[in-house]
Amino acid sequence: MVNYKDLGLVNTREMFKRAVAGGYAIPAFNFNTMEQMQAIVMAAVETKSPVIMQVSKGARNYANATILRYMAEGAVAYAKELGCAHPEIVLHLDHGDSFELCKDCIDMGFSSVMIDGSHLPYEENVALAKKVVEYAHQFDVTVEAELGVLAGVEDEVSAAESHYTKPEEVIDFATRTGCDSLAISIGTSHGAHKFTPEQCTLVNGVLVPPPLAFDILHEIEKKLPGFPIVLHGSSSVPMDEVNTINQYGGKLEAAIGIPEEQLREASKSAVCKINIDSDSRLAMTAAIRKHLAEHPGDFDPRQYLKPARENMKKMYIHKIVNVLGSDGKLAQ
Ligand code: G3H
Ligand code: 13P
Ligand code: ZN
């Protein structure tokens, strides 16, 4: 049993309190490679931002659970080496789908876990989240739960269509589960294809998707004043990265994300954690494709992973500074 405090990690409680009060959101970036981890830490240190590094079940299967845990511990040491005396780094399980998986992560040093029972009947979601909270809180690990279902595929949790969160359920859910934050469904979804072109409006040659359901978000805020709200599926799918990928041999059709202005607006509300994974994948893939197309003789992974890391770092900094507003928000 390892406690996250011994690894130099922090839970989400204090950073969420400050984010809700300050009208900004903490970035939650998924990682499963060393280059992503380095880029996240460099971006957080340069911008003096708290950061959540999150790991999905798929990432654990890909990279190995133990390795990812040591990478998070290494992230804290790396941040200090880069000159940040008091980094605030959370190691978070993304879309935990069972009590056992959450417990396993807590026992090996995660400081925060998500239990995603959003696809379950309401009472089962409550019971599962409550069980995880009871275990996690013994070790001061914070818990994110989810109400409402996002469109598309949630990690290994599938949902054919989106069911917005019902504001009338949130007080009962938060009270009975004791969760520390709540992921809601207001129109975001996972992946690089969040909307079909038919769902969008063409404005100056750009496909603009329908707006997020801010009315539902505001109703939830009224029911749970100051309670930390989480947005999943919040990649913006930048057109320049998609175009680079397609220019250099890729085939990404109709990739459409959440406009950054809407995420900026959400960050000013009780939304205090914004999940971004696909934009990192796009930044990495675009840089690798470009490099290999321009340097067909290169075969040392460092030659193409270096520009990939640079491109991800640039994207993370952009999100922190221009979208979420968490720059300069370290406690000390
Ligand atoms: O929400 C899902 C994240 O993007 C993680 O996806 O299961 O492919 O690692 P993954
Ligand atoms: P994106 O696919 O929009 O990056 O969402 C990531 C996410 O929600 C991880 O939990
Ligand atoms: Zn998610």
Side-chain angles (χ1 to χ4, degrees):
M1 170 95 203
V2 184
N3 189 278
Y4 68 88
K5 290 173 189 167
D6 297 329
L7 308 181
L9 298 161
V10 297
N11 69 18
T12 58
R13 195 168 294 118
E14 289 308 314
M15 66 171 70
F16 281 178
K17 221 183 268 177
R18 300 193 321 258
V20 174
Y24 60 91
I26 309 291
F29 298 130
N30 290 69
F31 81 106
N32 49 68
T33 72
M34 181 188 73
E35 287 76 15
Q36 283 176 312
M37 180 275 270
Q38 291 171 317
I40 293 168
V41 174
M42 287 189 281
V45 168
E46 277 186 34
T47 58
K48 300 185 168 52
S49 173
V51 72
I52 297 168
M53 298 182 58
Q54 55 188 17
V55 170
S56 69
K57 186 175 169 181
R60 278 166 59 96
N61 291 342
Y62 170 77
N64 177 282
T66 308
I67 288 178
L68 288 176
R69 199 275 276 169
Y70 278 105
M71 276 167 72
E73 190 176 353
V76 175
Y78 184 41
K80 288 183 180 164
E81 189 183 312
L82 290 176
C84 181
H86 301 284
E88 291 176 54
I89 299 178
V90 174
L91 176 60
H92 175 77
L93 169 66
D94 191 26
H95 294 285
D97 61 356
S98 67
F99 171 78
E100 290 71 26
L101 176 58
C102 292
K103 179 180 181 303
D104 197 38
C105 288
I106 293 165
D107 291 352
M108 74 187 307
F110 280 56
S111 56
S112 174
V113 293
M114 175 192 192
I115 178 67
D116 182 358
S118 60
H119 56 293
L120 297 172
Y122 181 79
E123 286 299 329
E124 287 177 42
N125 188 3
V126 169
L128 180 59
K130 187 169 186 284
K131 189 174 174 191
V132 172
V133 168
E134 278 168 4
Y135 186 76
H137 281 184
Q138 295 176 73
F139 310 101
D140 207 19
V141 169
T142 40
V143 179
E144 173 186 328
E146 179 167 334
L147 249 191
V149 181
L150 271 65
V153 176
E154 293 212 355
D155 201 9
E156 295 185 3
V157 180
S158 67
E161 57 191 83
S162 173
H163 299 281
Y164 287 172
T165 305
K166 296 186 183 112
E168 63 273 21
E169 288 180 348
V170 298
I171 297 178
D172 182 71
F173 187 83
T175 312
R176 285 172 60 203
T177 61
C179 65
D180 301 282
S181 60
L182 183 65
I184 60 166
S185 171
I186 56 165
T188 62
S189 61
H190 293 105
H193 301 85
K194 301 187 190 299
F195 305 94
T196 62
E198 294 72 41
Q199 291 173 305
C200 303
T201 319
L202 197 62
V203 182
N204 300 327
V206 178
L207 286 171
V208 179
L212 299 178
F214 280 100
D215 52 336
I216 294 182
L217 170 60
H218 294 142
E219 263 187 78
I220 292 170
E221 284 186 297
K222 266 190 228 150
K223 303 260 184 206
L224 291 175
F227 194 81
I229 301 298
V230 178
L231 280 191
H232 281 248
S234 297
S235 278
S236 308
V237 188
M239 274 330 288
D240 53 347
E241 304 295 8
V242 173
N243 290 340
T244 303
I245 289 172
N246 288 337
Q247 183 187 341
Y248 293 103
K251 202 169 189 305
L252 279 182
E253 281 163 10
I256 301 168
I258 309 293
E260 288 184 340
E261 312 82 69
Q262 295 195 31
L263 297 169
R264 211 172 285 132
E265 189 180 334
S267 302
K268 292 180 188 148
S269 71
V271 169
C272 62
K273 172 175 181 272
I274 290 195
N275 286 13
I276 296 172
D277 186 1
S278 297
D279 283 354
S280 168
R281 299 175 181 193
L282 291 167
M284 185 175 213
T285 302
I288 291 174
R289 278 195 179 278
K290 182 171 190 293
H291 182 92
L292 289 178
E294 289 174 351
H295 306 86
D298 281 0
F299 65 96
D300 178 343
R302 291 172 294 189
Q303 290 166 316
Y304 52 85
L305 289 177
K306 193 172 175 196
R309 188 171 62 192
E310 275 307 307
N311 207 33
M312 287 188 288
K313 178 184 164 191
K314 195 174 96 194
M315 184 277 294
Y316 293 135
I317 289 178
H318 166 68
K319 297 288 177 184
I320 288 170
V321 175
N322 302 316
V323 185
L324 278 63
S326 63
D327 50 311
K329 300 298 196 298
L330 285 174
Q332 44 178 323

